[in-house]
Amino acid sequence: MGGVRVGLATVLGAVVLCAALTPTAGADPVPGSVIDVQPLPAELSLPGAAVAERIEYRTQWRSGAPAVGTGVLFLPPGPAPAEGRPVVAWAHGTYGIADDCAPSVRPRGPRDTAYLDHWLAQGYAVVAADYPGLGTEGIHTYLDGPSAANSIVDIVRAARTVEPGLSDRWVVVGQSQGGHAALHTAHAATARAPELDFRGMVATGAPSNLELLYPLGFPGFPDLGLEGLTAYTGYLFAGLRAARPDLDVNSYLSPLGVELLDAAESLCYEELDDRYGSVNVGQLLSRPLWDERFRSVFADYVGVPTRGYDRPLFLGQGLRDTMVPAPLSVKLAADLTAGGADLRFRPYPGDHDDTMFASLADTTPFVAGVFAG
């Protein structure tokens, strides 16, 4: 049966590829349309996946400009249920912003492998977008939530073209950078893809309220003791520089800061952190970040919506998280609740990575419940 399945995918991929390459004259690319589909090499798959495919598809930047997205589709063993297999859209954490940092072209680490296998074991299909600019044209605009959200919604659309056995019911699950992306996805999903049945969101270790912190920065700003902060700042400011050239991000930076951003465009997280982890954020700056121009642009770029959610949300936070401090998420939870969100907020005693697995006792029934509801 496995050989038949791969053959069918190959034929279907050829069909959708031909369709994508012969659009109606003058038509804009349709978000979610498939460009190509290929079997994923075994070393890039998951132990629990019976089928693993890499999908190239059409999506959009936050501006609405067309973009090409890449990502993967994993299916568990066994036939899909008669009503279709529900979909978990995985929003990944920080790998970097260079093309070779894209998760679909790298073996997944033990943490993400075990976590995604858990969702496959529940009988769900898993799709995982790389986000625009990771492995495709353009610079990946790190923590650009609307662009990431577009790519996540659109890979669900693309996956349902590739695999007809998928249900229209889906949720988004994200960790760290992916938690930020998952929040934006939950905010946009119903309006962006009304033909799908979006059911809810899980986010753990999601960065938020950064627009309240970074504008406090100035040359000589003290070390905050946050793990990976300099590398994350490099990705964040490099993404902001690419997305908003009108801001002239380099004018706020020291020569060392410009060097970091340039390195961030080519180095994945481990190497960037190894090279610059001993540098304080204050050493990256040539002038304060608190002028109104920077504050306004930065808040628009990185902010998380706190109103307008129409599906249940689950937010998990580690109390010993030294990457995303708990007070930021407590404020986010309060703001979401005040904004009318149907929110479950759960703190856990561990650190940033611990929260993914500590929360499974709560998130597994949460996801099952929203799919059943």
Side-chain angles (χ1 to χ4, degrees):
M1 292 297 292
V4 174
R5 174 65 183 85
V6 171
L8 177 61
T10 302
V11 172
L12 179 58
V15 171
V16 296
L17 175 59
C18 289
L21 293 178
T22 56
T24 303
D28 292 330
V30 177
S33 59
V34 177
I35 300 171
D36 191 22
V37 56
Q38 298 290 335
L40 197 67
E43 65 272 15
L44 304 183
S45 186
L46 299 173
V51 172
E53 295 168 330
R54 186 173 189 270
I55 303 173
E56 186 176 0
Y57 61 100
R58 301 197 183 277
T59 186
Q60 293 172 311
W61 298 98
R62 75 154 65 192
S63 66
V68 172
T70 54
V72 294
L73 165 65
F74 298 115
L75 297 179
E83 68 274 16
R85 197 183 297 280
V87 178
V88 168
W90 166 241
H92 67 78
T94 303
Y95 284 77
I97 64 175
D99 284 347
D100 61 358
C101 305
S104 71
V105 298
R106 296 163 57 92
R108 294 177 192 271
R111 184 198 72 172
D112 287 4
T113 295
Y115 191 72
L116 297 186
D117 262 348
H118 169 82
W119 296 112
L120 284 174
Q122 308 308 304
Y124 307 137
V126 173
V127 296
D130 288 332
Y131 311 146
L134 269 177
T136 54
E137 184 177 356
I139 293 174
H140 168 46
T141 50
Y142 182 77
L143 291 186
D144 169 9
S147 294
N150 289 346
S151 71
I152 292 167
V153 174
D154 293 339
I155 198 174
V156 177
R157 290 166 149 167
R160 296 188 70 238
T161 298
V162 171
E163 176 49 60
L166 298 187
S167 170
D168 61 357
R169 294 170 295 143
W170 69 287
V171 300
V172 62
V173 175
Q175 158 71 7
S176 195
Q177 178 192 1
H180 182 275
L183 283 156
H184 280 272
T185 301
H187 191 259
T190 301
R192 182 167 181 83
E195 78 279 11
L196 301 178
D197 184 5
F198 178 66
R199 293 299 183 94
M201 180 215 79
V202 170
T204 54
S208 64
N209 292 299
L210 300 181
E211 67 274 18
L212 302 180
L213 294 184
Y214 272 97
L216 301 177
F218 55 88
F221 191 74
D223 182 11
L224 298 178
L226 297 179
E227 184 181 353
L229 180 61
T230 300
Y232 295 135
T233 299
Y235 293 137
L236 176 55
F237 280 41
L240 180 64
R241 181 172 68 176
R244 294 297 301 266
D246 56 304
L247 181 61
D248 190 11
V249 169
N250 281 7
S251 70
Y252 291 87
L253 302 178
S254 66
L256 179 60
V258 175
E259 177 187 320
L260 171 67
L261 267 61
D262 292 343
E265 292 185 4
S266 62
L267 300 180
C268 298
Y269 174 77
E270 291 82 2
E271 188 174 356
L272 187 69
D273 189 53
D274 286 346
R275 187 176 298 186
Y276 292 97
S278 62
V279 175
N280 292 344
V281 171
Q283 295 175 260
L284 308 176
L285 302 177
S286 63
R287 60 187 174 114
L289 301 178
W290 52 60
D291 67 80
E292 183 55 35
R293 174 65 174 159
F294 181 90
R295 292 168 64 92
S296 174
V297 172
F298 188 77
D300 176 70
Y301 176 80
V302 79
V304 173
T306 56
R307 295 179 179 273
Y309 294 90
D310 61 359
R311 297 293 185 271
L313 309 177
F314 185 102
L315 189 64
Q317 173 64 42
L319 295 178
R320 293 191 290 109
D321 192 331
T322 58
M323 290 186 174
V324 176
L328 299 181
S329 293
V330 171
K331 175 174 169 43
L332 174 63
D335 291 342
L336 288 169
T337 301
D342 179 4
L343 175 69
R344 285 80 164 163
F345 176 63
R346 299 289 186 272
Y348 299 94
D351 63 19
H352 193 64
D353 288 346
D354 292 341
T355 306
M356 292 174 64
F357 296 95
S359 64
L360 284 177
D362 297 318
T363 57
T364 304
F366 171 82
V367 169
V370 297
F371 276 139

